[in-house]
Structures are given as C-alpha cells and as structure tokens.
Amino acid sequence: MIGGFPAIIHGGPFANIAQGTNSIIATRMGLTLSDYVVTEAGFGFDLGAEKFFDIKCRTAGLNPSAVVLVATVRALKFHGGA
C-alpha cells in the first residue's frame, strides 16, 4: 500500500536503466484496474521518453493525458548556452 491506496508496481526487465519503461500488458492492466496509471519512462528524454512515445504508445494505441518533465537549473543553463 502506498499512501493508504493499493499499488501495482511493475518495473520490467530494464527498469533500472535510462531507457526502461514498463510493458504494454502492465499499462493495460493498470488502466483497467484504476483511474490513473503513472509510468516512469527513464532518466533521459532522448532514450526513455522517445522510446515510450514513439514505440510503446504507438504500438499500444495509448494517448497520455499528461507528461511531467523534470530538469535541473544546472542542466537548463548548460544546454541553453548560459
């Protein structure tokens, strides 16, 4: 239980690396059993998120309602040329 609510946690075989995302089966199961499903799609947008959107969502016919992108001020300065 997380916060008093039941949770299904499925990491898949590669959940510990930057391009890891859970399986289509796990996402579909979560969608049938709950109102919200949260998928962590890796630590790098270039690997994890692109794999999630370009491969998993297209293959499964998923349309995410929201996306959370986490970035540090240091990374924004570095990649923004400041």
Side-chain angles (χ1 to χ4, degrees):
M1 291 247 192
I2 297 178
F5 298 98
I8 298 172
I9 300 172
H10 170 73
F14 300 108
N16 61 342
I17 60 174
Q19 57 192 10
T21 186
N22 62 346
S23 66
I24 292 171
I25 294 169
T27 301
R28 290 203 187 280
M29 184 175 70
L31 289 169
T32 60
L33 297 173
S34 65
D35 295 329
Y36 303 99
V37 174
V38 178
T39 298
E40 191 268 321
F43 297 107
F45 197 85
D46 55 339
L47 291 175
E50 284 189 27
K51 178 182 174 186
F52 175 76
F53 288 115
D54 294 340
I55 299 172
K56 181 179 176 180
C57 287
R58 285 184 185 179
T59 303
L62 299 171
N63 294 310
S65 298
V67 174
V68 176
L69 178 63
V70 178
T72 63
V73 172
R74 180 179 179 187
L76 293 173
K77 286 180 181 179
F78 180 75
H79 294 289

